[in-house]
Amino acid sequence: MINSFVNSESPFWVRFFWLSGRLSVMDNNKAKAHKEFSISLSILSKKNDEYDSFLVPMPHCKTIKELTLERVLYEINMLKVDFLMEKDSVEMMGKEMYMDCISLLAPLLFCTKDVYPDVSLLPITAGRKSEKIASVELLALDLLIKAGEKTDPEDLELCLNCHQRKLQILIGAAGTGEFPVSQKLFVQQLGSTASEIELRGSSDKQWICLVAEEVKAISQCVSKVKNHIDQSGDLKGNIIPPKSIRDMQSLLLAAMCKIVSMLSNKKSAGSLPVDLNEQKQRSCFVSAAIAFCKLQHLDPSITIKTQVDLIVAMHDLLAEYGLCCAGEGVGEDEEGTYLKFAIKHLLALDMKLKSSVPSSNEDATQSNQQPSEDGHLESNSRTTDLEMVPAEAHAAENVVPGEDDSSSKIEEKDHMDVGCQKRVGGGHDRKDGVDNKSVECGGEMSEDEREELELQIDNALDQCFFCLYGLNLRSDSTYEDEIANHRNTSRGDYQTKEQCADVFQYILPYARGSSRTGLVKLRRVLRAIRKHFPQPPEDVLADSVIDKFLDDADLSEDKLSEEAGSDGFLHTMTKILFSTKGSIKQYKKSLVASSGPYMDVYCNLFFYMAQSEEMSATDKWTGFVLAKEGEEFVQQNANLFKYDLLYNPLRFESWQRLANIYDEEVDLLLNDGSKHINVAGWRKNASLPMRVETSRRRSRRCLIMSLALAKTPDQQSEIHELLALVYYDSLQNVVPFYDQRSNLPIKDAVWMRFCENSLKQFQKAFAKKEDWSHAFYMGKLSEKLEYSHEMSLSYYNKAISLNPSAVDSVYRMHASRLKLLCKYGKEDLKVLKVVSGYCFSQTVKAAVAEILCKIGCEVSPASMDLKEMIAQKNLEGRCEKSKQLEEVWEMLYTDCLSALETCVEGDLKHFHKARYMLAQGFYKRAQKGDLERAKDELSFCFKSSRSSFTINMWEIDGMVKKGRSKVDL
């Protein structure tokens, strides 16, 4: 039968059976319609075998201008879908047979993607409010979306394809762009039989609401897709084909152009108030702009520069029509939706750009981990909640140029449609791809290109903040370009806490993932926010647990120092810290009650503010900390961390940074004080010594708390060392406290405890991680505590073995040996044996050992008093042994001087400590020429070719090799 229609009249019969099928549909005779469509399809199939792409013109139809194989197949598939929707699909969904439902409907709905669908009204009231009309295809797509969402894992590609198809139908129904509009539709009235509906009866205002809902749905689905890609860790693993992305962008552009046309028509009609429908149109325009950008960001081949260009261009487009501050909703609470999205993404792109620099690892992100009350770590840094932030935000960007992903242009109806498309035409073409090749991977960019892109991001962020919050971040004169004042720029004066909290909410994810370099970019914003949050609420400050801990006179610090680093120490410290609050949980409840809706601001603002600010007083002028201005500077910096610790009392980094602030203040007070104030003046000044003692105490207690929070051996070793140094600093006999003449430290019980505490902390640090400086200081402390000479010298020897290039260790070893020889004389055999064990010259060591053996004294015999030994010998032997001991003493003395001379060789010639000790050594030995040599050594410290009197002093950096020491003249 079919063969009889395959002849020269085939086009007629194709049209005949297709029209017959359409009439049967309208008569609700679906079986006959299926039969007629099948005949038309068979004829077309036969003709397609003879001719490629055979089509039948339909000049009499207004919308469907030609019949193709796919067009007729689409009609047949819709009949099958209608049949499945009546029973099978609904039953499958009820039985949770989601995959079966998808396998039935998806092939029918998506096998003819290039066919423009017939369109119909969707959730639109027709007469009574209970009557709603929808096409079978739209109902099937809704069912398919539900099935895709119910699968595990969610079928995001299917859902996005369904939304794309729905938007295509709705765009066509609205008569937008190049999409045809059918006059008669195959529809189904919910709860009744199918009937005809005139599409022309529906207005643009009704359709735009449905388009807006679908645009929002696409935006949400794209966000899910991006989250899935980020979580999988495969930045190139995009599940959406580039062609689908471009097709959806074309649909969104069509919707935007339609809305612009509608808004322009109203504008030409005169000044009319904005009604609810117009608000919905504006909302849809903004939603489409956001969805367009999100789709562009799904393509891993899109460069950072292209993404920034798109965001800026879209902002300009929205501003041109007064919509850049508009929202997706109709209420004021929804304002600025696009700008908030743009700020998030621009900050994320900036972070990604910086992370692609190889050297950025040196400025790594702080972990900000803090233990819970039971001592377990809990991260204070949440996962960045930017919708578009890549999972590997700190991995080097490594993408390849994409294919031509320019959005297909929709038919240009008027000049506004043309403008809309030119401003946001999706992305770059092949030529742009070549031009942008150098910026696709951050590591391949030149320095100028990187700086230019960073400046572009800065400018875009400044414009977004200004439009959204009225916050001008270019208030100073360092910027050549001014911020544009858009029609709907926020006129807010940025004077409310609500505005500040809103700003902080959107920059917080970026701050959490940024290094200090990134935080500096936010400095002006954070400063503006802090104007409204200068400090925690008064009731929180009034009973500060941090101040009480730092300044409590009844706190047994010696006991805590002894326990520091032991198991259960965190529990001990939390009990002390919250002794007046019951527990940390109760304390946090009180914070929530006091802080109200701004809890998140108080919990994070002060910490990130401190990270972004210049906190060091060392860079200021000499004597800065001695002045009131310097005291206030240190106090303000310390307050930032103290405020943060009120809300994050177990944040390791804040305790450590606070300790450093106080320690730096002490160091500068003593250094600058010694240069500007003599000892007598210092002792008369009650304020400065009190500041030193207060900051030392606070620094020690901050470090003790840091020890409770430190988790890694390296952290623990570092904090033990810092705590030991703070204790040691209180022991030194130096200006401006002491002048080493009339004013000397009192070696009382407190002095002894500080010595012991310092030694214990160095021992704990050394046990965690061996370092030459730990052994060096343990040797010095052993001397101060008057422990055995063997102990102190063995520590110096250990320091030398760990770092032979550290000049301080060599100097201290042989200066101490020289002191012992001078103090105990030539006949103290015990001291001579100890000193001989650490000779600088191995030849001297061997010779001394040989002499001691000759007089019957082994290097390590049992202790014996020299008088007892001499008493066993006769008078003649005693004189000979005295000569031998004197010879040993002179050999050891000369060995010490030789060792000290190496400490002032070459570039180390101004090492004043070694010069002074050499001068003492020569002077006390008093042999021929020694006095002159002593004068020469000492006078060298005051010689200069530029001045008649100069003091030459070097501070030795022990980590630098001998001959490359750090110089402080």
Side-chain angles (χ1 to χ4, degrees):
M1 174 183 175
I2 298 300
N3 292 332
S4 61
F5 298 119
V6 182
N7 49 40
S8 59
E9 300 296 327
S10 293
F12 168 79
W13 293 114
V14 170
R15 286 193 293 268
F16 175 83
F17 287 109
W18 182 80
L19 289 171
S20 178
R22 293 287 291 173
L23 291 172
S24 299
V25 169
M26 294 178 182
D27 288 339
N28 203 28
N29 190 345
K30 299 174 187 177
K32 182 179 178 183
H34 186 274
K35 180 180 178 181
E36 303 289 5
F37 285 141
S38 297
I39 295 174
S40 181
L41 180 67
S42 298
I43 299 172
L44 280 171
S45 298
K46 293 286 186 179
K47 298 300 291 182
N48 267 341
D49 293 340
E50 299 177 13
Y51 308 96
D52 291 336
S53 302
F54 181 76
L55 54 86
V56 176
M58 300 278 285
H60 57 284
C61 289
K62 292 183 178 180
T63 56
I64 302 176
K65 297 299 183 181
E66 58 189 28
L67 286 178
T68 62
L69 193 67
E70 294 223 336
R71 175 77 251 179
V72 179
L73 181 60
Y74 169 80
E75 301 288 353
I76 294 174
N77 287 343
M78 289 305 101
L79 288 174
K80 294 179 180 179
V81 168
D82 184 35
F83 174 77
L84 292 173
M85 289 293 294
E86 289 179 355
K87 186 176 181 182
D88 293 355
S89 296
V90 177
E91 287 182 356
M92 288 180 183
M93 289 295 291
K95 296 178 180 179
E96 300 184 357
M97 301 169 63
Y98 306 123
M99 295 303 299
D100 293 333
C101 183
I102 293 172
S103 62
L104 282 177
L105 292 178
L108 298 174
L109 291 170
F110 298 117
C111 69
T112 55
K113 289 185 178 181
D114 295 331
V115 177
Y116 292 121
D118 277 342
V119 293
S120 66
L121 293 176
L122 209 197
I124 230 175
T125 302
R128 296 187 303 274
K129 290 185 179 181
S130 60
E131 290 183 328
K132 292 185 178 180
I133 302 170
S135 74
V136 169
E137 185 174 6
L138 291 174
L139 289 174
L141 289 170
D142 284 337
L143 191 67
L144 206 53
I145 290 172
K146 290 180 182 179
E149 292 173 346
K150 296 288 186 180
T151 59
D152 186 19
E154 183 176 352
D155 194 336
L156 295 173
E157 183 178 10
L158 173 67
C159 293
L160 196 56
N161 288 338
C162 290
H163 286 301
Q164 177 186 349
R165 186 70 168 177
K166 284 185 67 178
L167 183 62
Q168 189 178 20
I169 295 172
L170 296 173
I171 291 286
T176 299
E178 58 188 285
F179 301 99
V181 182
S182 298
Q183 280 190 304
K184 300 294 182 180
L185 307 165
F186 170 55
V187 297
Q188 179 183 27
Q189 185 172 353
L190 299 181
S192 62
T193 59
S195 62
E196 292 183 273
I197 296 180
E198 293 290 336
L199 176 62
R200 298 295 184 181
S202 63
S203 66
D204 288 339
K205 294 179 181 180
Q206 294 170 316
W207 279 107
I208 208 64
C209 295
L210 305 179
V211 172
E213 291 178 4
E214 203 52 45
V215 168
K216 284 186 179 180
I218 287 177
S219 181
Q220 293 170 359
C221 193
V222 172
S223 295
K224 289 182 179 180
V225 173
K226 183 61 179 175
N227 290 337
H228 171 76
I229 294 173
D230 293 344
Q231 291 170 7
S232 67
D234 184 7
L235 296 181
K236 295 184 179 180
N238 189 7
I239 62 176
I240 308 303
K243 184 179 185 303
S244 296
I245 293 175
R246 294 194 291 271
D247 290 345
M248 280 184 279
Q249 286 180 319
S250 296
L251 291 170
L252 293 169
L253 282 176
M256 294 171 72
C257 291
K258 176 66 177 178
I259 294 170
V260 168
S261 177
M262 294 167 67
L263 293 175
S264 300
N265 290 338
K266 181 174 181 178
K267 182 178 180 181
S268 61
S271 178
L272 298 174
V274 177
D275 56 17
L276 182 61
N277 286 324
E278 185 174 347
Q279 287 185 9
K280 291 181 178 179
Q281 292 166 10
R282 296 183 178 206
S283 171
C284 182
F285 191 87
V286 174
S287 298
I290 294 173
F292 186 97
C293 292
K294 287 183 178 180
L295 283 166
Q296 187 85 331
H297 303 153
L298 279 183
D299 190 345
S301 68
I302 302 300
T303 66
I304 294 178
K305 186 180 188 315
T306 302
Q307 295 186 53
V308 174
D309 289 341
L310 174 62
I311 291 175
V312 173
M314 194 65 78
H315 186 176
D316 292 341
L317 174 64
L318 292 169
E320 184 177 335
Y321 297 105
L323 298 176
C324 69
C325 287
E328 291 184 293
V330 295
E332 293 184 358
D333 293 339
E334 296 293 331
E335 289 184 354
T337 309
Y338 176 79
L339 293 176
K340 292 173 182 178
F341 160 79
I343 289 171
K344 284 183 179 181
H345 196 62
L346 286 169
L347 290 172
L349 289 174
D350 183 70
M351 181 169 62
K352 184 177 181 182
L353 177 64
K354 285 183 169 52
S355 70
S356 65
V357 184
S359 61
S360 65
N361 293 333
E362 297 175 5
D363 194 13
T365 304
Q366 308 287 354
S367 63
N368 300 337
Q369 288 186 323
Q370 52 178 313
S372 63
E373 60 212 271
D374 58 359
H376 297 293
L377 276 178
E378 56 183 24
S379 176
N380 188 53
S381 177
R382 304 177 194 167
T383 302
T384 305
D385 58 359
L386 307 183
E387 290 180 303
M388 293 296 159
V389 177
E392 287 82 6
H394 294 283
E397 185 184 2
N398 185 19
V399 293
V400 294
E403 297 297 325
D404 180 5
D405 54 352
S406 301
S407 299
S408 56
K409 306 297 184 183
I410 63 174
E411 187 175 346
E412 300 155 347
K413 296 201 234 176
D414 53 42
H415 68 282
M416 290 192 178
D417 290 356
V418 173
C420 177
Q421 292 189 37
K422 286 183 178 178
R423 294 290 292 278
V424 296
H428 58 279
D429 55 19
R430 290 180 187 271
K431 184 176 182 294
D432 293 333
V434 174
D435 293 339
N436 289 333
K437 184 175 182 180
S438 62
V439 297
E440 287 168 6
C441 181
E444 298 176 2
M445 295 176 63
S446 68
E447 188 64 28
D448 289 342
E449 289 173 328
R450 180 179 299 281
E451 289 180 0
E452 182 180 356
L453 184 53
E454 288 179 354
L455 179 61
Q456 184 182 9
I457 294 175
D458 285 346
N459 293 339
L461 281 170
D462 290 347
Q463 185 67 60
C464 288
F465 275 115
F466 180 66
C467 290
L468 182 58
Y469 302 112
L471 175 62
N472 190 346
L473 300 181
R474 299 189 194 174
S475 55
D476 53 47
S477 59
T478 58
Y479 294 89
E480 297 180 1
D481 301 328
E482 294 185 357
I483 293 180
N485 198 346
H486 296 157
R487 268 192 288 167
N488 64 335
T489 293
S490 170
R491 295 297 183 266
D493 56 3
Y494 205 63
Q495 293 299 314
T496 67
K497 281 192 170 185
E498 289 76 10
Q499 280 183 312
C500 293
D502 200 19
V503 176
F504 192 70
Q505 175 187 358
Y506 287 96
I507 66 172
L508 184 56
Y510 172 75
R512 284 191 174 117
S514 292
S515 64
R516 187 185 181 279
T517 303
L519 288 170
V520 169
K521 187 179 295 296
L522 296 177
R523 182 185 294 168
R524 286 172 294 152
V525 182
L526 293 172
R527 285 175 178 174
I529 295 172
R530 200 193 170 196
K531 289 180 181 179
H532 304 281
F533 296 92
Q535 61 185 29
E538 289 296 333
D539 55 341
V540 176
L541 283 176
D543 190 22
S544 171
V545 296
I546 305 302
D547 286 335
K548 184 178 185 301
F549 171 72
L550 295 178
D551 298 324
D552 187 3
D554 298 327
L555 185 64
S556 178
E557 190 177 306
D558 293 332
K559 182 180 179 181
L560 294 178
S561 177
E562 178 72 26
E563 296 180 19
S566 61
D567 293 338
F569 186 56
L570 177 58
H571 179 68
T572 301
M573 293 304 299
T574 53
K575 284 181 65 177
I576 293 173
L577 198 61
F578 304 108
S579 58
T580 60
K581 301 296 182 180
S583 68
I584 188 172
K585 287 184 178 179
Q586 292 174 325
Y587 176 69
K588 287 183 177 179
K589 286 180 181 178
S590 67
L591 288 178
V592 173
S594 301
S595 306
Y598 307 118
M599 182 69 178
D600 208 33
V601 178
Y602 287 122
C603 280
N604 297 281
L605 174 62
F606 304 115
F607 179 75
Y608 293 115
M609 186 80 192
Q611 302 292 323
S612 69
E613 293 287 358
E614 295 295 338
M615 305 291 287
S616 177
T618 305
D619 300 330
K620 307 294 183 179
W621 63 88
T622 304
F624 173 71
V625 293
L626 300 175
K628 186 67 176 177
E629 183 182 0
E631 182 179 3
E632 291 175 352
F633 177 81
V634 173
Q635 184 177 357
Q636 290 169 3
N637 292 337
N639 281 342
L640 285 174
F641 286 110
K642 287 164 71 175
Y643 293 162
D644 176 64
L645 288 170
L646 285 172
Y647 286 88
N648 304 280
L650 303 182
R651 197 200 296 266
F652 168 78
E653 186 180 4
S654 289
W655 284 108
Q656 187 182 26
R657 291 288 300 276
L658 186 58
N660 291 342
I661 288 175
Y662 288 130
D663 187 57
E664 181 188 53
E665 181 188 22
V666 171
D667 186 55
L668 291 175
L669 282 171
L670 297 179
N671 276 285
D672 294 352
S674 64
K675 297 171 185 175
H676 293 81
I677 307 172
N678 59 28
V679 175
W682 180 269
R683 287 176 175 267
K684 291 178 182 179
N685 189 316
S687 173
L688 295 178
M690 181 62 68
R691 283 177 60 190
V692 170
E693 294 306 318
T694 299
S695 293
R696 278 175 173 169
R697 180 188 65 248
R698 291 175 176 176
S699 180
R700 291 195 304 267
R701 295 188 179 185
C702 288
L703 291 170
I704 288 173
M705 188 67 197
S706 300
L707 273 174
L709 300 169
K711 291 300 174 185
T712 67
D714 286 346
Q715 282 182 339
Q716 293 167 348
S717 178
E718 179 186 3
I719 303 302
H720 279 300
E721 177 185 344
L722 292 173
L723 182 56
L725 288 171
V726 174
Y727 278 119
Y728 186 85
D729 187 56
S730 304
L731 307 172
Q732 297 193 83
N733 179 17
V734 294
V735 291
F737 275 102
Y738 311 108
D739 58 11
Q740 299 185 357
R741 293 189 298 273
S742 59
N743 295 292
L744 299 172
I746 301 173
K747 299 184 179 181
D748 54 8
V750 174
W751 188 90
M752 292 294 292
R753 285 203 309 272
F754 276 33
C755 280
E756 292 168 353
N757 289 340
S758 182
L759 179 59
K760 289 175 183 176
Q761 296 305 320
F762 275 123
Q763 288 171 339
K764 291 179 180 180
F766 192 76
K768 297 288 183 182
K769 181 182 178 182
E770 291 190 355
D771 187 89
W772 76 269
S773 63
H774 302 160
F776 171 73
Y777 279 106
M778 285 190 284
K780 296 184 72 173
L781 288 163
S782 297
E783 284 193 81
K784 292 180 185 293
L785 290 167
E786 298 182 356
Y787 291 166
S788 70
H789 309 311
E790 175 70 32
M791 177 182 291
S792 58
L793 294 179
S794 66
Y795 279 133
Y796 295 141
N797 191 55
K798 182 67 174 178
I800 294 171
S801 65
L802 289 172
N803 187 3
S805 64
V807 182
D808 264 350
S809 303
V810 177
Y811 160 75
R812 190 67 260 166
M813 163 71 87
H814 301 291
S816 296
R817 291 174 67 227
L818 190 62
K819 285 182 178 180
L820 289 174
L821 292 174
C822 292
K823 181 178 180 180
Y824 292 97
K826 302 176 181 180
E827 295 189 351
D828 193 322
L829 183 58
K830 182 179 178 181
V831 171
L832 292 176
K833 287 189 294 185
V834 172
V835 173
S836 67
Y838 300 96
C839 287
F840 178 70
S841 169
Q842 294 301 311
T843 303
V844 173
K845 184 176 182 179
V848 168
E850 184 178 352
I851 295 173
L852 291 176
C853 287
K854 287 181 180 179
I855 60 175
C857 298
E858 300 293 337
V859 176
S860 55
S863 296
M864 183 181 301
D865 189 88
L866 183 60
K867 291 181 179 180
E868 294 178 3
M869 181 182 64
I870 295 175
Q872 298 174 13
K873 307 293 182 178
N874 56 33
L875 187 58
E876 297 84 4
R878 183 167 39 179
C879 293
E880 179 65 24
K881 290 184 177 64
S882 295
K883 289 181 180 180
Q884 290 176 328
L885 291 175
E886 183 177 352
E887 182 184 1
V888 168
W889 185 91
E890 289 178 353
M891 292 173 65
L892 294 175
Y893 200 96
T894 303
D895 179 76
C896 292
L897 293 178
S898 299
L900 290 173
E901 285 177 335
T902 65
C903 296
V904 292
E905 291 176 346
D907 291 340
L908 297 173
K909 60 185 178 181
H910 290 303
F911 185 14
H912 59 283
K913 290 183 180 182
R915 289 280 181 189
Y916 177 69
M917 185 55 65
L918 271 172
Q920 275 194 324
F922 287 127
Y923 178 77
K924 290 180 179 180
R925 189 173 66 173
Q927 293 180 358
K928 184 178 180 180
D930 280 351
L931 182 59
E932 292 302 321
R933 294 189 66 182
K935 288 180 181 179
D936 291 341
E937 294 294 344
L938 198 58
S939 63
F940 192 88
C941 295
F942 303 96
K943 289 181 179 178
S944 172
S945 60
R946 300 188 302 270
S947 173
S948 59
F949 180 76
T950 303
I951 299 177
N952 300 311
M953 300 175 66
W954 275 18
E955 181 180 351
I956 302 300
D957 182 353
M959 298 305 292
V960 182
K961 290 185 177 181
K962 186 188 297 185
R964 296 179 177 270
S965 302
K966 179 181 176 182
V967 182
D968 285 334
L969 291 179

